[in-house]
Amino acid sequence: MGGNVSTVGSAEQEWLAEAVRIATANVAEGGGPFGALVVRDGAVLATGTNQVTPALDPTAHAEVVAIRAACVALGDFQLTGCVLVSSCEPCPLCLSAALWARVDRVLYAADRHDAAAAGFDDREFYDLFSTPRETWPLTVAQLASARPTEPFEAWQANPDTVAY
């Protein structure tokens, strides 16, 4: 393992072992080799496995699936006080989901280099975000619009919005 390797307690090791176990089992069920848990106060709230190919959903990464299920279990879109545990270092999509969900910590087993060696190379996405947008293979461009901030104005004027 490279990078920032953390030493954790026995509970964290058990969670990590479970994430690896469900990731391995998911391969036999036609999913990708990734598994994740969301834990709060020592209890597993939800699990998720990679469902990209079975669900035909490129966002159905194990971490995102687990985050969605944990939010439903808690009845909240924020996971403050929770730990996201993954069989592999979360990709930029999953890290973004963890940030939006407001999890407290992310723990993982294999890293991005291990994933790349198995044919899952997220490193290109990590690298892409550090380059100027005009060099990306995907065009990302702002277009002129008559009222581009109208949705935000409506949001700010609505007294029933829930901040996130």
Side-chain angles (χ1 to χ4, degrees):
M1 281 192 288
N4 184 12
V5 178
S6 177
T7 304
V8 294
S10 63
E12 286 93 347
Q13 288 295 335
E14 289 176 24
W15 303 334
L16 203 58
E18 178 63 5
V20 170
R21 186 196 70 71
I22 66 173
T24 304
N26 194 50
V27 174
E29 296 168 11
F34 303 94
L37 320 170
V38 175
V39 180
R40 185 180 207 177
D41 298 326
V44 176
L45 290 177
T47 64
T49 55
N50 182 285
Q51 296 297 308
V52 169
T53 55
L56 303 176
D57 180 353
T59 68
H61 292 200
E63 297 90 341
V64 173
V65 171
I67 287 169
R68 288 174 180 160
C71 288
V72 169
L74 288 178
D76 197 346
F77 59 88
Q78 292 191 2
L79 298 176
T80 304
C82 294
V83 180
L84 175 62
V85 183
S86 180
S87 63
C88 187
E89 180 178 5
C91 72
L93 168 74
C94 296
L95 285 174
S96 295
L99 288 166
W100 277 110
R102 309 294 198 266
V103 299
D104 288 3
R105 291 189 296 158
V106 175
L107 303 173
Y108 60 89
D111 68 16
R112 67 182 84 169
H113 307 292
D114 299 320
F120 296 89
D121 199 352
D122 316 352
R123 293 178 302 187
E124 68 182 82
F125 298 125
Y126 285 98
D127 295 343
L128 180 69
F129 290 127
S130 65
T131 64
R133 277 192 184 173
E134 59 272 7
T135 66
W136 291 11
L138 169 69
T139 300
V140 179
Q142 182 178 19
L143 296 178
S145 174
R147 299 223 28 225
T149 61
E150 185 175 7
F152 299 116
E153 293 164 14
W155 172 264
Q156 290 174 319
N158 183 344
D160 299 324
T161 59
V162 177
Y164 63 97

